[in-house]
Amino acid sequence: MASDKKYWKSVEELKAHSPLIEKLRNDEFVEEIPIDEFLGNKESLDNSSTTRRDFLKYVGFTTVAASVAACEGPVIKSIPYIVKPEQIVPGVADFYATTMADGYDFASILVKVREGRPIKIEPNKLAGGTTNARVQASVLSLYDNNRLKAPKSYDKTIEWNEVDTQILAKLNELKSLGKEIVFLTGTLASPSTAQLILKFKEKFGNVKHVIYDAVSESGAVEAFETMYGFSALPNYDFSKAATVVSFGADFLGDWQGGGFEADFAKTRVPKEGKMSRHIQFEANLTLTGANADKRILAKPSEQAFALINLYNKLTGNSLPSKKTSVDAEVEKAAKQLKSSGNKAVVICGINDKNLQLITLAINNFLKSEVIDVVAAKNIRQGKETEVNNLLADMNAGKVGALLMYQTNPVYTMPQTANFAELLKKVPMSVSFAMNDHETASVSNFALATPHYLESWGDISVKKGTYSLMQPTINPLFNTNQFQDCLLRWMGSEETYYDYLKKYWESNILAGTSWAQTLHNGFFNQTAKPTTSLKSIDLNLAAQEINKTFISKEFELCFYTKTGMGDGQMANNPWLQEFPDPITRTSWDNYVTISEPDSKKLGLQNFNVSNGALNGSKVNLTVNKTVLKEVPVYIQPGQAVGTIGLALGYGRSKGMKEEMMIGVNAYSLYNNFKNYQEVSIEKVDGIHEFACVQLHHTMMGRDIIKETTLATFNDTTINPSETWNKTTKVSMDHKMVPASSISLWNDHDKTIGHHFNLSIDLNACTGCGSCVIACHAENNVPVVGKAEVRNSRDMHWLRIDRYYSSDMNAKIADEMEIGVLDKFNQMEIPSNNPEVAFQPVMCQHCNNAPCETVCPVAATTHGHQGQNQMTYNRCVGTRYCANNCPYKVRRFNWFKYKENDEFDFHMNDDLGRMVLNPDVVVRSRGVMEKCSMCIQKTQLSILQAKNEGRIVADNEFQTACSSACSSNAIVFGDVNDKTSQVAKLVQDQRAYHLLDAIGTKPNVVYHVKVRNTNES
Amino acid sequence: MASHYEAPIRKPLIIGEKTYHDISVDVAAPVEGKANKLWWIAFSISLTAFLWGVGAIIYTIGTGIGVWGLNKTVGWAWDITNFVWWVGIGHAGTLISAVLLLFRQKWRMGINRSAEAMTIFSVIQAGLFPMIHMGRVWNANWVLPIPNQFGSLWVNFNSPLLWDVFAISTYLSVSLVFWWTGLLPDFAMLRDRAIKPFQKKIYGLLSFGWSGRVKDWNRFEEVSLVLAGLATPLVLSVHTIVSFDFATSVIPGWHTTIFPPYFVAGAIFSGFAMVNTLLIIMRKVSNLEAYITIHHIELMNIVIMITGSIVGVAYITELFIAWYSGVEYEQYAFLNRATGPYWWAYLLMMTCNVFSPQLMWSKRLRTSIMFSFIISIVVNVGMWFERFVIIVTSLHRDYLPSSWVMFSPTFVDIGIFIGTIGFFFLLFLLYARTFPVIAQAEVKTILKSSGENYKKLRDGNDH
Amino acid sequence: METTTKKIHALYNDDDVLLLAIKEIREKDFIIDEVFTPFPVHGLEKALGIPHTRLAYAAFIYGVIGFIFAIWMMNYIMIVDWPMNIGGKPNFSFYQNMPAFVPVLFEMTVFFAAHLMVITFYFRSRLWPFKEAENPDPRTTDDMFLVEITVQNNENELQTLLKKTGAVEIKLIEN
């Protein structure tokens, strides 16, 4: 396979500056050609017997030779194994258990390695690991061509031994001067590293370790500390929850490190007529709010008092508070909470210590089983106060050396902190970094660190839970781990690997085999309760809140995008192209504003002639800091008087030009408050968005079927007549389901495997990790902002998002509204819409409209139910795409690989190492689409065959189904009657998308049930 | 003579005192004479347009279909619009020479040669689009059922696009032989008149050595008749099959059983309009007013009026059926056509195709050269928009609102279209200078029955 | 035909006159070898007693061949050689899948009939590129009608007859 050969070529290249490769690359003729000897001296040339005729002969011969040679295809010279590593069998994938930890995302994962190349991230289900879009995409950051490939000092590359000598000298000097040596890191949550830093302290004395989270949960951490005596975050097990009341907590997103959707989803699928009820008070329309049963719009300032009022209502106490516009809803929420007793939980997303204290108090009062304060979480440890102290120290010139790891403060600090200036006051600034980002580029030393897939490490996500990080590939570049450097500087001989192993054997494993643990990737103890809860004066807290929270005309609410997070993976094209689940907009961040406010400020969104979305621009001012030319996106469900703005964009260093987009919201992120008073002024100019969904409502069509829990539980009615209506047509004067009739005899589907994919719209939170998983598994190309704007995104799997509208057929009839007005108003979403997500990929219709119309039979039906696309037969008439009712087919408008017009990962050898060798990279001019990951199913079948057994149900997985942490996407063989999917297909909630057309899809959806029961 | 009797009521089809020899002279005149300034201007304009088109096509093939305005939802727009438009125009030629021959309509003889030429030239334009609209045009041969190294790798006979391949190629080749067979005696006439040896050689070659034996004529007429008999269902089948591209799909606005007759009517409609456009110019430039008379034009106008009305009825029927079907997707599709973002295209289509031809009811208008010319242009504009409306407005908002988009063409889309127009006129201009633009042999057969002077004579004798 | 190689070419300038002339000549039992006309003169072949062409029958047969070939081709390609499940259509049976084949069946029929017939016509009438024309007088493609009669030592009689029938020009060809 070409890619393998490429790989081995690359390996040679990856030896930092291998002379061989250099030579081969630079000079075409490795040996010197004796031109001068021949042409150089005149006489030999003159008395050489080469006549004109000879010359012509030569010319003739060479021309022919050249043209003959040209007839051969390009030959890729590859360097074969000298000693074949026994683990690597070409064509067979190995899986390694490891852990992702970049200070923002923490996940236990399995890494799929082909011919020594990590190419895909899977969740380590054994360790209860889940993967979000960013974790799925992180494998591509390994092959990021803009990585820091060697250590640098003052913008020139140096050798590691120089680094060591210079830094060591400096450290000792500082030590003697008694200056402070400070570690500024993101949350490492690594026990061994923590201990290592302690050792370092012992060695160098005046050492401080400051933990700084770019997106801070400091309020919650400090609140927890004051209440429970140790610094951590409470853990939540939403699978126990019956009622969840959230105040601006995006817990299906990145709130407190995220990773709750799996448990939450369990309670969202109605079982025995029960499902949890979820009430969300929020300002931005978050992923969580979009999934809520009830969503109440409130400014942060109101949320604060609503929370206190809730406390008062529940406990009967009367903490000082204010009336809010949502008190009625608070009352209902209180009732709801009470009714579900200790199965209730209240959470708060506002980063304010006092509010967090009250939240904890409420949960204590409720004796909530959902919240777990024993096995508390370690994945956010940054404390506001400590960081502020550091800044002060730096300003005062107390700090002698600043060693920064897993953090990029120059980018993430607010403009008011003016970190770049402070850094100049530090005699020695060292930045351990993966790319030459904003901080690394201004530090004295930029030390290249390996990607987590090249590193050793350990993480304790929560108390008693430990997981290991192991390298899955040799370091691609001349990098050193942070920990290895520390060890060397402490004069230790051992590597971090030895250190880690020793640490685990002595402190964690307690006799269990290291090898076994490494293989599993994790090790669990039962966490034992440490301290009991302290009593605190809530009155004080409440008074504080009354002081701090004053309602403003406009309140700016920061959020992190599902795709981009805190922005450290901004150079990852998959994530840039990943459409935001709510706005469906890629390649941007922007101000989200409510429709009434946009009117008031004269801001507008409009579509140009090819449908692409344009929007006005504004300047944002947060106490004197101005953020210029921020695009405006009018967002249904945005609370009036608030605007949203995503962090993590506007990066400007150490990455590709295309990815340096958006505005840096961190510059307004003053003292870690995720809400700010802001003033908005419209400026001239129009921004061009790259939005993949231009139409937002369902136009009253039966695309996502919805019902309420009450109706769903009503046993007196027949679902297929009411909330899961099947289209009926008249056949022989009898009404029969449209999908039941066919023009001709069907093919026999009962023999062998027949694959179906089931998607539960209740469980699906729209998180989009399936989208990236599909991207990675199937070598889907990235097309860039301009092409997405032309509605040419290539995603095989998209997640449609629909808003409810104030207009529907029923209302139209009642108010006697004309059909034209009806449809016109249907296009306008409500101001606080109900939101529904629907993953749509190829439906693999048994009677596929696309297949019949292909003139060259390039798309046909497989015996296992797949609608198969034969890329190399396709001539690209696009007729199939036109005739697809689901519009899931994607056309290669251009050559997307090895083309400078599309300078993303497929354009350089390094980036192409991520490609899956089992899936062909499509050429220009052919159609492509979801294949139901046939390469995976075939593999499972063959393995079972080799081992002479039947394929187990859970063996059949598609990229999306295995990535889906909420278990919304289930894949399997319906001919295996015991399989999960076979049952799901029979479920009374099951329906086929657009069944009326009679395409008989192999993808089945489950009716979305909303819990509207108020108690 | 009895054999030449024709009811006096019929208008003469050949004006003026013409003898057999005069006919030869008049038909040969444009070929033997020199090209005038007007011709050269027209020629250079169409040549430029043609070259622009060639450039645009090369750019497309070199870079990718992405240089057009298409997107994930609208996979066809100008390409197939142009394809259907050109095929439609093509239909008039065959219709005139075949159907009118079967109906023994003598008036066809003045125009059938040029009409057929137009057919062939426009079908060439049409054939271009299914080619270049392919993502991998270099594999275009894969749509032919030819054995290959993979043995069992065949085409898919369920696909309307494949039916097109057969329909269009059959249509093009059959019209070509039909046309050429008819040309043989006329080439022979030019050959025998030619003075310059080169011309003699060329026309000798083109005329396949036609000698005009009795037996030859006998076979000639038989072949013409049978070909006409074959071409008539063929011409109807071609646009029927083109309409299947849409009618057999599942897309609301495409999935319509009325399409075949509706498309055929539309084809004749636009075809006759194009014939008018061309002949009104040609009769003047090559002064053939005596053979292509006002009467001819009037008859053409009547056909335009009738087919225009049929098309109009089809439009209304579509709307009615959409409403009557009760299918929400169908209903919205047509509502969106008329009132959605592309309402202006729909309005253009309606005015050009349904309202403007109705003016032909007035005798004064339909016998006015200028007016006929304008209408003939208007009609073809309208027919282009009809195809645009059918293709784009149906696609851009189909089943799932999440994929609804808009379409707007790029300069390449436009360039290619202009290019084909240039190519078409280029071919026709060359034809007008080198081919016998009137089937003189046939015209001679009706000279006595429908020639003005003979009619007068006969009518004189009658009383 | 006789060994003598004397021929008479009589030219007429009107089709009606020609028809009458032909009748008279044949009544007098002169054998007309060939008549060249600039356009099809109706009733001429009857007057000359030439049987009607059978090209139409040929065309029909060709059409049938085309039809059968189309059936064979599609059955072989779609059903026999490599049947594929395309959109769930009944690829296992020609009859059930047949509706989809109708258009091609028709087109192939027409294709075969039209082209083979025309080719037959061209060969029977000896028409093809680079073929030399055989009309003895160029005017026969313009406005002259030429009757070619072999002379069997009755030249004068024939001459007078032709004159009487209105021939505008009579040439004696000796070779």
Side-chain angles (χ1 to χ4, degrees), chain B residues 348-463:
Chain B
L348 253 169
M349 167 185 108
M350 273 294 185
T351 26
C352 297
N353 298 353
V354 184
F355 301 120
S356 65
Q358 298 309 317
L359 299 167
M360 295 297 189
W361 287 103
S362 127
K363 173 110 184 157
R364 227 184 80 261
L365 289 176
R366 72 167 179 264
T367 48
S368 134
I369 303 274
M370 202 54 221
F371 181 76
S372 315
F373 186 73
I374 292 163
I375 286 294
S376 71
I377 302 287
V378 167
V379 163
N380 269 315
V381 171
M383 284 311 287
W384 190 90
F385 272 100
E386 178 199 290
R387 279 62 180 256
F388 178 82
V389 164
I390 289 173
I391 292 170
V392 173
T393 66
S394 306
L395 282 176
H396 89 119
R397 289 186 169 189
D398 63 345
Y399 287 102
L400 301 185
S402 66
S403 337
W404 289 4
V405 297
M406 297 284 289
F407 165 85
S408 78
T410 66
F411 75 95
V412 186
D413 287 298
I414 299 163
I416 293 175
F417 180 46
I418 303 281
T420 52
I421 293 177
F423 192 18
F424 175 77
F425 280 100
L426 199 63
L427 291 169
F428 197 84
L429 285 164
L430 290 173
Y431 152 85
R433 292 278 303 117
T434 51
F435 277 47
V437 295
I438 287 184
Q440 52 92 23
E442 285 190 273
V443 170
K444 283 171 185 171
T445 59
I446 60 160
L447 177 63
K448 286 191 175 171
S449 59
S450 319
E452 192 179 18
N453 50 340
Y454 284 92
K455 281 181 89 72
K456 282 221 197 71
L457 233 157
R458 209 168 36 246
D459 304 348
N461 299 350
D462 286 350
H463 26 73

Side-chain angles (χ1 to χ4, degrees), chain C:
Chain C
M1 180 162 294
E2 255 106 319
T3 52
T4 167
T5 57
K6 272 193 183 166
K7 286 187 185 323
I8 281 190
H9 286 172
L11 281 87
Y12 296 81
N13 63 1
D14 185 289
D15 41 348
D16 299 321
V17 178
L18 173 75
L19 273 172
L20 294 175
I22 297 284
K23 281 204 186 65
E24 288 193 34
I25 297 165
R26 293 195 71 226
E27 279 161 7
K28 297 272 181 312
D29 302 333
F30 287 104
I31 298 137
I32 298 172
D33 299 342
E34 191 54 83
V35 179
F36 297 90
T37 63
F39 56 82
V41 180
H42 292 156
L44 186 53
E45 72 269 16
K46 211 184 269 93
L48 285 164
I50 297 170
H52 195 281
T53 171
R54 300 186 305 284
L55 271 172
Y57 305 101
F60 177 76
I61 294 159
Y62 295 143
V64 173
I65 293 171
F67 184 74
I68 293 166
F69 174 76
I71 292 180
W72 171 81
M73 176 181 73
M74 285 188 281
N75 182 60
Y76 176 72
I77 289 178
M78 299 299 290
I79 314 294
V80 178
D81 188 32
W82 195 267
M84 282 186 291
N85 177 352
I86 292 167
K89 293 207 173 179
N91 59 328
F92 38 74
S93 139
F94 182 85
Y95 305 101
Q96 284 191 47
N97 212 160
M98 199 272 296
F101 302 153
V102 170
V104 176
L105 287 174
F106 172 78
E107 298 298 330
M108 294 293 273
T109 314
V110 171
F111 188 88
F112 274 66
H115 289 297
L116 292 179
M117 175 182 65
V118 169
I119 290 164
T120 323
F121 164 50
Y122 284 4
F123 278 95
R124 292 287 285 102
S125 296
R126 316 177 50 70
L127 300 163
W128 52 78
F130 302 106
K131 171 87 166 50
E132 282 305 323
E134 287 160 351
N135 52 332
D137 185 317
R139 286 170 298 170
T140 57
T141 55
D142 179 357
D143 59 348
M144 284 302 191
F145 306 80
L146 185 146
V147 184
E148 182 179 279
I149 308 165
T150 318
V151 185
Q152 300 126 320
N153 51 48
N154 47 11
E155 196 180 319
N156 306 341
E157 185 189 345
L158 183 54
Q159 294 253 7
T160 44
L161 172 65
L162 291 172
K163 280 216 179 53
K164 190 164 121 294
T165 55
V168 290
E169 195 178 318
I170 300 167
K171 281 188 286 177
L172 181 62
I173 313 293
E174 308 226 20
N175 47 356

